[in-house]
Amino acid sequence: RTRYISTELGMRQRLFVGVLTSKSTLNTLGVAVNRTLAHRLERLVYFTGTRGRKVPHGMTVVTHSDERPIWNMYQTVRYLLDHYVNDFDWFFLVQDDTYTEAHRISRLVAHLSIDTHLYLGRPEEFIGGDTEGRYCYGGFGYLLSRSLLLLLQQHLESCRNDILSARPDEWLGRCIIDYTAVNCAEEHEGLRYHYFELGNNADPERETDLRFQSAFTVHPVLDPLQMYRLHKYFAQVELERTYQEIQQLQLEIQNASSLSADGDHSATWPIGIPPPFQPKTRFEVLRWDYFTEEQVYACVDGSPKCELRGVDLADVADVVAMAMEELNRKYQPVLHVHKQQLVNGYRRFDPTRGMEYTLDLQVEVVTQKGHSRSVTKRVHLVRPLSEVEIIPMPYVTEASRINVILPLTAHDRDHAARFLEAYAA
């Protein structure tokens, strides 16, 4: 009964994201949102009043069969309560003309208590009427806790019949405030909801406002191209932050290892990567393959020597280029290192850590005064595996057929034939 474990134990996923779209923007902005969000979230669903006959590939679209904004919002909340309220702790609703930084939203909900009645977003004053409090403006998205939705569930019909409003986000805000007394908040327990209003013809790479750099959502996005430009910028920011975290963790590991019984020798290289595989018998020794810049001395067909081609050639070129880059980073500005040739190259695949390389490089070393000298430098590199999971498999004596499905893009088409040849061999 493993498939029912999560249900029986009451385990829920963290974040559900719903995108409010329309028939006119589903195939443009909706697709752009999907390409920048879907691969980073547990669940992403699109809600629209009506849609065309063809749904964009890879998108889950719920149609309410009505173009009235208030009715669509009511149906969206009702759908969440009927289908997802028992599966997720947090619900984030956002429009399709808004860019959402998925990592930041995920980190935000990871620090929030699931028992809190929370309505988080950019607070906005009600226009007219006698409703006190503030609602969350839909353009910048808003976060709803599961406990708040459950509290609202019994009053949803009353909201639909009694509350009049021109805007769906204002209608939802009135419903939440009237029946749960929960106002829209911009900050909760020291955690702030960051957002940024994008100006006309704004260039993300030239935007210097600190609010933009820390934003969870950016609104309004006028076209898919602007959505992709925003995604490129925030992806670069997230990548730089990740590299900084890696460097910080490596420094902490190195400092902590100096306090161990073995001292600095207890820290593996590279720091944070599992140590090399230690064979227990001669049959477990991993083989090193010798290569040059043109040839490799371990071929798939058993030949003693063959020409480097395809991904193998690109792999060797990439490793040599990375070695030269690291050498220059280490010795500049005192010395400048220029590659002359690869003398010897060795590589082996270690299933516990990745591909290991040992290179003997003949390089020209140039000093600041212009003096040069040719030397041979040995370098070691590792191309680590991202996530390694060893899965125990029962031994089966009977033959089984396995179908391998390999998705290909137009860019990979030329490599497909060589891959099949190597796989068949």
Side-chain angles (χ1 to χ4, degrees), residues 90-273:
W90 295 97
F91 296 83
F92 182 70
L93 296 180
V94 66
Q95 298 173 184
D96 62 0
D97 61 345
T98 302
Y99 176 78
T100 303
E101 217 300 319
H103 288 112
R104 296 178 182 178
I105 293 293
S106 299
R107 284 196 296 268
L108 173 66
V109 299
H111 290 83
L112 294 172
S113 172
I114 61 176
D115 296 328
T116 306
H117 299 331
L118 189 60
Y119 179 31
L120 193 68
R122 194 194 85 168
E124 192 83 5
E125 298 288 345
F126 287 101
I127 301 175
D130 54 356
T131 302
E132 297 182 357
R134 296 186 297 177
Y135 70 97
C136 288
Y137 176 61
F140 297 105
Y142 41 88
L143 193 65
L144 301 169
S145 64
R146 174 179 179 270
S147 60
L148 180 63
L149 281 179
L150 290 175
L151 197 63
L152 190 67
Q153 185 172 17
Q154 59 181 325
H155 305 292
L156 201 57
E157 288 295 330
S158 300
C159 292
R160 182 172 68 91
N161 297 326
D162 300 340
I163 297 178
L164 299 177
S165 180
R167 294 176 51 89
D169 51 0
E170 185 177 335
W171 173 86
L172 181 61
R174 290 181 185 272
C175 181
I176 293 174
I177 293 172
D178 287 353
Y179 291 97
T180 68
V182 176
N183 276 281
C184 176
E186 187 174 343
E187 183 178 357
H188 178 73
E189 295 182 349
L191 299 172
R192 177 172 291 274
Y193 186 86
H194 298 280
Y195 53 86
F196 184 78
E197 186 170 356
L198 198 64
N200 295 330
N201 302 319
D203 186 353
E205 296 181 355
R206 297 182 180 179
E207 187 62 61
T208 59
D209 196 319
L210 294 178
R211 294 175 300 172
F212 174 74
Q213 298 174 11
S214 62
F216 298 165
T217 58
V218 178
H219 173 82
V221 180
L222 303 179
D223 56 69
L225 179 59
Q226 192 176 39
M227 185 79 72
Y228 298 136
R229 291 176 65 189
L230 286 166
H231 183 64
K232 177 184 177 182
Y233 171 81
F234 281 103
Q236 290 174 342
V237 171
E238 189 67 22
L239 187 61
E240 292 175 1
R241 188 193 68 83
T242 302
Y243 282 139
Q244 291 175 358
E245 285 188 0
I246 292 175
Q247 292 177 354
Q248 181 64 31
L249 289 172
Q250 288 177 336
L251 183 61
E252 292 177 2
I253 292 172
Q254 191 171 10
N255 293 337
S257 64
S258 63
L259 303 176
S260 65
D262 296 331
D264 293 332
H265 297 289
S266 63
T268 60
W269 180 89
I271 297 175
I273 303 298

Side-chain angles (χ1 to χ4, degrees), residues 402-423:
I402 299 176
N403 297 316
V404 179
I405 301 175
L406 181 65
L408 292 176
T409 64
H411 178 71
D412 300 326
R413 186 170 49 194
D414 297 335
H415 305 293
R418 288 194 292 271
F419 171 81
L420 292 175
E421 290 175 4
Y423 183 79

